[in-house]
Amino acid sequence: MRPELSAIIANSTTVANNRYTPFHIDTGTTARFSLRPIGEGTEIPQLLVTEQKHSISVPEYGLGLKASYKSLKYRTTAQFRVLLWYIGFKMQADKIALVIDCLINGDGNTNPAEKINTAVSGTLTYDDLINLWAEFAPFEMNAVICHIGQLKTILTLEEFKDPMAGYRFQNRGELFSPLGRPWCAVMMFPPI
């Protein structure tokens, strides 16, 4: 229902209880990640993988559907299906909000996302977006998450006023992204 969710999570795990302890990779020394020749009989460089210091508390979620007999008496199955679809759509939006909150604030293991500021406080330019994109190197940015209000600001930048971009948006509803990544516009969080 919300394809944005699969664009912003790398993996999901089914857990049997309310605690989960992910593993931790020590990325402090980049030399450990480098492929380099080793001499005969020398020790091979190793990458240390351990458990996080703190486990993550997995909250339980639920939603009950309470309806009066009269509200459902003369409804068709198709109408009820639309109601269930809306509930599922809203629950997926809530999941996206939880994932974004984890990205921004971390999972409780002092690991929030690094903040990258614009060149001029309170102003977003195309150069700022390019700098954000460059910060991901050597990794690839796969989605841009922003508040819907901020997305409107971005789409009015001069660099986004390409006539073909306008055509694609007006013809198929595809938002143009010069960064080559899909937009994930959310309304749950205030603009950053």
Side-chain angles (χ1 to χ4, degrees):
M1 291 187 164
R2 295 295 301 263
E4 302 95 339
L5 187 61
S6 62
I8 60 176
I9 60 171
N11 185 32
S12 62
T13 302
T14 303
V15 294
N17 57 30
N18 65 347
R19 306 290 297 168
Y20 176 69
T21 306
F23 62 78
H24 171 75
I25 303 171
D26 182 8
T27 59
T29 306
T30 56
R32 294 179 185 163
F33 290 98
S34 300
L35 182 63
R36 56 194 178 279
I38 56 170
E40 176 66 27
T42 61
E43 189 173 325
I44 297 174
Q46 298 177 358
L47 179 66
L48 180 61
V49 178
T50 60
E51 284 194 332
Q52 288 275 23
K53 293 180 183 172
H54 305 286
S55 60
I56 299 168
S57 177
V58 180
E60 293 183 23
Y61 297 97
L63 179 68
L65 176 60
K66 184 176 182 180
S68 69
Y69 169 75
K70 202 170 188 180
S71 69
L72 299 177
K73 182 177 178 183
Y74 300 109
R75 304 296 179 253
T76 64
T77 306
Q79 289 172 318
F80 193 66
R81 184 187 63 179
V82 170
L83 172 65
L84 294 177
W85 177 90
Y86 173 75
I87 291 169
F89 181 84
K90 182 66 177 116
M91 289 171 70
Q92 285 297 92
D94 293 342
K95 283 183 188 178
I96 292 171
L98 290 169
V99 171
I100 293 171
D101 181 65
C102 184
L103 288 172
I104 293 171
N105 300 311
D107 61 11
N109 285 297
T110 62
N111 56 354
E114 181 181 337
K115 289 187 169 84
I116 300 167
N117 295 318
T118 58
V120 177
S121 181
T123 304
L124 182 66
T125 66
Y126 186 73
D127 287 345
D128 294 323
L129 292 174
I130 296 302
N131 289 335
L132 172 66
W133 172 82
E135 286 291 326
F136 281 87
F139 302 104
E140 184 178 314
M141 178 191 294
N142 64 348
V144 179
I145 304 169
C146 66
H147 185 271
I148 191 76
Q150 193 68 34
L151 177 57
K152 291 194 296 190
T153 301
I154 292 169
L155 291 174
T156 58
L157 292 173
E158 193 60 39
E159 290 81 1
F160 284 81
K161 295 184 179 176
D162 173 359
M164 282 307 293
Y167 173 77
R168 284 195 305 267
F169 180 65
Q170 293 165 9
N171 188 35
R172 295 191 294 260
E174 296 173 3
L175 293 177
F176 171 67
S177 172
L179 304 177
R181 297 295 140 221
W183 295 107
C184 181
V186 294
M187 300 193 313
M188 301 75 143
F189 292 96
I192 298 173

